[in-house]
């Protein structure tokens, strides 16, 4: 009987079987079977019956002697995108861009390819999700060199790889890795086995030919990248394009980057002619900041860039047990910690109130330096203190569990950014302000000033 070209294996224990199982007979794990191409036999048996490797032995080279010519990065012409990548695309690298439906993944990658084509690079857009006509409509909207990007609309992996091998572009976009399929596997496109195979084979071709490849990826309902975890290990950079569809601001951040920092964040706004970079993000957030109780401007750091964002809090009496805790743009656990420290060490107990905290503009802040701003916003919302000054209150600092304030990185750059927008009264850990209580008093003084 002919052997099938594929085999099913358990992603938990590696058990192999010619057919799919709902539950692994080896380890009992549910839903762990994925289809894979059957590996070619590699071992040969020596004279004494011991298995010998069929490969040829390699000569190890000291790292100092390895040739590594400095390669120029490819600039996508989108400043924020280049910054998140760590200074542009590295030739031959593989970048995975994930984001929810309609967030602007295709818009961003089309814009980047258009600029690269305009700069004289060979580019290729592989669209599996949209027809060539649909992509053209978007390119017309984007303007610039977007219309000069060559496109193939194809979902068959073999055809796509053959095209890459013949065209040998400098940069290629695959939109998306979930719709391409390998005809040798029976799994549906987007299934774990298919995605792993598609990404793995594209990676081999891209590395061999030095094609910088941007893979567009889908996300699950929970917001993590769809497909196997190995997909994220395989690629050089994982970028996540976030933001809520109804809000205008979208942020691009690196979750993994082999060629740069993962702290950088790009801020974009969706407009008619595509994604517009927001370079003066601080200015917008500060001018939009309300001077009402419960509003504090946080001097945050987004990678190497200081960013001022407005943190808003609302505290309302609740009948619910336990009361509501709603956090938008900040981590729920961080909010819980701030509430506990505020109750224990700040004398502001909100155990019988609903608490809502939100970072304006749909931005997410994920740094300990946000604690103090959240605490001050909550205290001001709870007490209803109306600021007397016409400037919003600014703050940054980390809260310790014993109610102490801790220093955070880049204090001087945060202060400079705040001063740039006329925010001179910044409550922060420093001389005379070492505990949450002192910070609360400092904030009250700043309000009264
Ligand atoms: N004419 C237009 N004017 C302004 N914005 C538009 C226009 N057409 C589309 N958009 C915006 O572009 C978004 C779609 O962008 P895009 O197709 O790049 O998203 P995507 O992430 O690739 O989506 P998908 O997951 O469907 O591939 C829409 O959600 C909308 O916000
Ligand atoms: Mg798309």
């Amino acid at each position: 009987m002919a052997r099938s070209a594929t085999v099913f294996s358990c992603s938990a224990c590696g058990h192999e079987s010619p057919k799919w199982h709902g539950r692994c007979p080896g380890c009992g794990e549910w839903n762990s079977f994925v289809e894979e191409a059957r590996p070619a036999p590699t071992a040969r048996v020596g004279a004494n019956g011991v298995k010998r490797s069929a490969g040829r032995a390699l000569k190890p080279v000291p790292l100092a002697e390895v040739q590594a010519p400095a390669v120029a990065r490819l600039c996508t012409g989108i400043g924020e995108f280049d910054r998140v990548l760590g200074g542009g695309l590295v030739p031959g690298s593989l970048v995975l861009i994930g984001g929810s439906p309609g967030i602007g993944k295709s818009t961003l990658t089309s814009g980047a390819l258009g600029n690269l084509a305009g700069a004289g690079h060979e580019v290729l857009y592989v669209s599996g999700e949209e027809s060539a006509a649909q992509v053209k409509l978007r390119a017309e909207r984007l303007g610039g060199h977007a219309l000069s990007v060559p496109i193939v609309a194809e979902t068959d992996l073999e055809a796509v790889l053959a095209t890459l091998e013949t065209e040998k572009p400098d940069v290629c976009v695959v939109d998306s890795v979930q719709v391409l399929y390998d005809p040798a596997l029976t799994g549906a496109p987007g299934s774990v086995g298919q995605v792993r195979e598609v990404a793995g084979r594209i990676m081999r071709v891209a590395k061999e030919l030095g094609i910088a490849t941007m893979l567009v990826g889908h996300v699950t309902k929970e917001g993590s990248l769809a497909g196997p975890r190995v997909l994220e290990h395989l690629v050089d950079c994982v970028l996540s394009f976030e933001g809520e569809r109804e809000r205008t601001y979208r942020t691009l951040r690196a979750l993994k980057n082999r060629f740069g920092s993962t702290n950088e964040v790009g801020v974009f706004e969706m407009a008619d002619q595509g994604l517009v970079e927001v370079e003066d993000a601080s200015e917008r957030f500060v001018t939009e900041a309300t001077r009402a109780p419960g509003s504090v401007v946080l001097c945050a750091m987004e990678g190497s860039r200081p960013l001022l964002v407005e943190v808003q809090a609302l505290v309302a009496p609740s009948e619910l047990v336990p009361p509501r805790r709603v956090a938008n743009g900040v981590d729920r656990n961080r909010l819980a910690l701030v509430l506990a420290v505020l109750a224990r060490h700040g004398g502001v107990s909100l155990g019988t109130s609903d608490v809502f905290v939100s970072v304006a503009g749909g931005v997410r802040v994920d740094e300990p330096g946000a604690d103090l701003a959240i605490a001050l916003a909550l205290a001001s919302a709870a007490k209803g203190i109306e600021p007397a000054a016409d400037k919003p209150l600014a703050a940054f600092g980390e809260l310790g569990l014993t109610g102490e304030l801790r220093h955070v990185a880049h204090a001087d750059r945060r202060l400079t950014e705040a001063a740039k927008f006329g925010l001179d009264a910044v409550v922060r850990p420093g001389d005379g302000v070492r505990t949450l209580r002192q910070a609360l008093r400092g904030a009250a003084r700043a309000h009264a000033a």
Side-chain angles (χ1 to χ4, degrees):
M1 200 178 99
R3 267 155 62 100
S4 102
T6 62
V7 63
F8 291 87
S9 75
C10 171
S11 50
C13 72
H15 183 94
E16 288 194 354
S17 158
K19 66 179 178 62
W20 187 81
H21 293 278
R23 185 172 189 214
C24 173
C27 65
E29 185 74 16
W30 285 97
N31 228 351
S32 62
F33 264 71
V34 293
E35 191 184 21
E36 291 176 335
R38 190 185 282 280
T42 52
R44 63 190 158 107
V45 182
N48 54 2
V50 177
K51 276 192 181 172
R52 303 249 323 266
S53 157
R56 157 178 75 80
L58 303 173
K59 173 118 184 64
V61 186
L63 277 176
E65 288 164 25
V66 174
Q67 301 285 326
V71 282
R73 296 201 180 208
L74 303 161
C75 281
T76 62
I78 304 175
E80 300 281 294
F81 190 19
D82 283 338
R83 211 160 44 77
V84 175
L85 285 170
L89 273 175
V90 173
S93 68
L94 212 62
V95 179
L96 177 65
I97 303 173
S100 18
I103 194 86
K105 303 177 292 295
S106 309
T107 311
L108 181 71
T109 48
S110 308
L113 276 197
N115 294 343
L116 284 161
H121 296 288
E122 296 289 324
V123 299
L124 178 68
Y125 192 96
V126 177
S127 172
E129 286 186 354
E130 291 165 296
S131 68
Q134 282 174 303
V135 178
K136 180 180 175 184
L137 285 180
R138 176 180 305 111
E140 279 174 349
R141 200 153 52 78
L142 294 180
H145 292 275
L147 279 171
S148 57
V149 175
I151 174 174
V152 289
E154 182 56 69
T155 53
D156 182 342
L157 177 65
E158 299 292 348
V160 170
L161 292 180
T163 315
L164 285 180
E165 279 161 7
T166 353
E167 297 292 326
K168 296 193 183 64
D170 299 325
V171 187
C172 152
V173 168
V174 177
D175 190 1
S176 66
V177 65
Q178 270 84 11
V179 294
L180 255 54
Y181 72 96
D182 180 352
L185 302 183
T186 52
S191 63
V192 172
Q194 285 280 9
V195 171
R196 188 162 65 176
E197 188 70 11
V198 166
R201 292 190 55 195
I202 290 181
M203 181 191 75
R204 284 196 285 279
V205 172
K207 295 263 160 174
E208 210 165 282
L209 301 176
I211 307 172
T213 309
M214 293 186 251
L215 297 176
V216 173
H218 293 173
V219 293
T220 61
K221 246 195 245 165
E222 293 77 40
S224 57
L225 277 158
R229 193 77 183 164
V230 64
L231 179 61
E232 287 161 66
H233 286 294
L234 206 71
V235 299
D236 298 308
C237 301
V238 181
L239 306 185
S240 161
F241 206 13
E242 299 163 1
E244 284 150 54
R245 241 177 308 176
E246 54 280 7
R247 308 268 187 89
T248 47
Y249 298 115
R250 278 126 209 246
T251 52
L252 182 70
R253 64 175 80 227
L255 303 180
K256 152 178 172 177
N257 192 348
R258 288 188 180 148
F259 315 111
S261 142
T262 51
N263 294 326
E264 299 291 350
V265 170
V267 183
F268 295 91
E269 195 175 10
M270 185 59 97
D272 259 3
Q273 65 282 18
L275 287 161
V276 183
E277 301 167 50
V278 182
E279 280 160 11
D280 56 344
S282 286
E283 184 179 351
R284 301 222 185 167
F285 295 136
V286 172
T287 41
E288 283 169 8
T290 54
R291 283 105 181 100
S295 157
V296 171
V297 169
L298 162 66
C299 312
M301 286 302 287
E302 287 288 17
S304 60
R305 181 171 69 164
L307 178 69
L308 303 180
V309 288
E310 185 191 3
V311 176
Q312 294 187 331
L314 174 67
V315 172
S318 175
E319 309 283 290
L320 292 176
V321 181
R324 276 195 199 89
R325 301 285 181 248
V326 181
N328 280 320
V330 292
D331 183 33
R332 268 183 68 95
N333 292 330
R334 257 242 93 93
L335 173 61
L337 181 143
V338 172
L339 283 170
V341 175
L342 209 49
R344 186 72 185 71
H345 302 287
V348 183
S349 179
L350 302 172
T352 54
S353 313
D354 284 339
V355 169
F356 304 85
V357 170
S358 145
V359 180
V363 181
R364 249 200 104 71
V365 280
D366 273 326
E367 63 151 343
D371 292 356
L372 184 57
I374 300 173
L376 294 184
L378 283 168
S380 133
K383 296 186 177 150
I385 311 169
E386 196 78 53
D390 58 344
K391 288 273 162 41
L393 180 69
F396 65 88
E398 182 181 355
L399 280 187
L401 295 186
T402 57
E404 86 278 19
L405 279 187
R406 296 169 163 270
H407 288 281
V408 288
H410 306 298
D412 45 342
R413 297 174 64 183
R414 297 175 199 249
L415 286 174
T416 320
E417 181 78 0
K420 207 161 100 191
F421 297 99
L423 306 176
D424 305 313
V426 180
V427 184
R428 68 195 157 98
D431 303 328
V433 186
R434 297 187 194 288
T435 63
L436 176 60
R437 242 176 230 284
Q438 288 166 342
L440 287 171
R441 253 180 265 132
R445 265 202 307 279
H447 272 315

